[in-house]
């Protein structure tokens, strides 16, 4: 469930999800995966946020990230990122003449949002953030993230390791990602026997 809670604990590891408005596949429609990679690189370079695990889907993003040992706020980083990406997505929709879709996103704005200058509702209002305090929870979320492209209704590929917008190949095939430097979670997390898992099933 999305939350408005402030998440400002420095040095924590988080499971993050944010979603396009009404689950509209805006990332796929506008082919904006590069924009998402640009944002992840930006927060790594400017805020020292480490991306451990990720999947970029058609209309939502799942991440496991580690915040720096500073007072940089998670809410600020995610909110600023969504604001930047919303602007870019609207620009792409406008350039490609998606007038009906733009009208739909515009009509979704409340009067309060319009009074603040917002013209389109591109993302759901809040984002989901859960702190990771145990390896069991960590492994559960990694498994969920990596299998997302082949789960339920998605079926975006026949092998989750081959899905290009994911960290699965990094962990399961030791293959560096083409567009993003992944910080190996196993350098920070071990199980109770201090044994690094090789493959998560």
């Amino acid at each position: 469930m999305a939350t408005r809670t402030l998440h400002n604990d420095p040095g924590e590891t988080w499971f993050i999800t944010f979603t396009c408005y009404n689950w509209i596949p805006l990332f796929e429609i506008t082919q904006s995966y590069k924009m998402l990679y640009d944002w992840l690189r930006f927060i790594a370079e400017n805020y020292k946020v480490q991306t451990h695990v990720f999947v970029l889907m058609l209309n939502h993003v799942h991440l496991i990230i580690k915040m720096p040992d500073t007072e940089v706020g998670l809410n600020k980083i995610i909110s600023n990122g969504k604001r930047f990406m919303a602007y870019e997505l609207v620009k792409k929709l406008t350039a490609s003449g998606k007038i009906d879709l733009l009208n739909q996103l515009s009509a979704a704005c409340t009067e309060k949002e319009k009074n603040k200058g917002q013209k389109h509702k591109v993302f759901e209002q809040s984002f989901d953030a859960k702190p990771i305090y145990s390896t069991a929870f960590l492994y559960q979320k990694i498994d969920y993230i990596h299998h997302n492209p082949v789960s339920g209704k998605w079926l975006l590929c026949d092998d989750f390791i081959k899905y290009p917008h994911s960290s699965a190949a990094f962990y399961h095939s030791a293959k560096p990602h083409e567009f993003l430097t992944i910080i190996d979670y196993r350098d920070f997390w071990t199980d109770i026997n201090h044994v690094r898992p090789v493959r998560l099933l």
Side-chain angles (χ1 to χ4, degrees), residues 173-193:
S173 302
K175 181 180 178 182
H177 198 274
E178 182 179 2
F179 301 116
L180 185 67
T181 298
I182 298 166
I183 307 301
D184 197 327
Y185 75 88
R186 293 167 295 191
D187 291 335
F188 301 87
W189 289 82
T190 56
D191 65 20
I192 58 175
N193 297 314

Side-chain angles (χ1 to χ4, degrees), residues 61 70 105 112 170:
V61 173
T70 66
L105 300 179
K112 183 178 180 181
F170 176 83

Side-chain angles (χ1 to χ4, degrees), residues 21 102-122 125:
Y21 169 71
L102 287 166
N103 289 340
Q104 181 182 350
L105 300 179
S106 179
C109 290
T110 64
E111 287 302 316
K112 183 178 180 181
E113 289 168 336
K114 291 177 181 177
N115 291 336
K116 290 183 178 180
Q118 184 174 341
K119 297 180 179 179
H120 302 90
K121 185 181 287 294
V122 177
Q125 184 71 25

Side-chain angles (χ1 to χ4, degrees), residues 33 40 51 154 164-165:
Y33 299 103
L40 290 172
T51 298
W154 298 115
H165 305 300

Side-chain angles (χ1 to χ4, degrees), residues 13-180:
T13 302
W14 295 89
F15 169 66
I16 304 292
T17 301
F18 58 87
T19 306
C20 295
Y21 169 71
N22 206 27
W23 293 85
I24 300 171
L26 296 177
F27 300 136
E28 178 66 19
I29 290 171
T30 60
Q31 286 298 295
S32 291
Y33 299 103
K34 180 181 180 299
M35 175 194 70
L36 291 164
Y37 290 121
D38 289 344
W39 173 67
L40 290 172
R41 288 194 298 268
F42 176 83
I43 62 174
E45 294 168 3
N46 291 272
Y47 298 109
K48 309 304 178 187
V49 176
Q50 299 176 343
T51 298
H52 291 320
V53 184
F54 75 93
V55 67
L56 312 181
M57 299 290 284
L58 282 62
N59 55 14
H60 66 284
V61 173
H62 294 303
L63 305 168
I64 293 176
I65 59 175
K66 186 177 188 300
M67 295 295 289
D69 292 317
T70 66
E71 295 301 320
V72 175
L74 178 63
N75 289 69
K76 178 179 178 180
I77 287 175
I78 301 298
S79 296
N80 286 349
K82 287 169 62 179
R83 190 177 301 110
F84 159 76
M85 287 184 276
Y87 174 81
E88 292 298 317
L89 288 167
V90 167
K91 187 164 68 172
K92 287 188 174 187
L93 291 171
T94 302
S96 59
K98 303 290 186 182
I99 304 302
D100 290 344
L101 185 49
L102 287 166
N103 289 340
Q104 181 182 350
L105 300 179
S106 179
C109 290
T110 64
E111 287 302 316
K112 183 178 180 181
E113 289 168 336
K114 291 177 181 177
N115 291 336
K116 290 183 178 180
Q118 184 174 341
K119 297 180 179 179
H120 302 90
K121 185 181 287 294
V122 177
F123 291 103
E124 292 296 329
Q125 184 71 25
S126 299
F127 67 96
D128 189 53
K130 293 183 173 65
I132 296 177
Y133 293 133
S134 71
T135 52
F137 185 69
L138 173 70
Y139 299 163
Q140 177 193 48
K141 293 307 178 185
I142 292 173
D143 183 72
Y144 175 79
I145 289 172
H146 284 164
H147 286 82
N148 204 201
V150 297
S151 300
K153 66 180 181 180
W154 298 115
L155 301 179
L156 301 179
C157 55
D158 58 1
D159 183 347
F160 74 96
I161 297 175
K162 295 180 181 178
Y163 184 66
H165 305 300
S166 165
S167 55
F170 176 83
Y171 288 108
H172 292 272
S173 302
K175 181 180 178 182
H177 198 274
E178 182 179 2
F179 301 116
L180 185 67

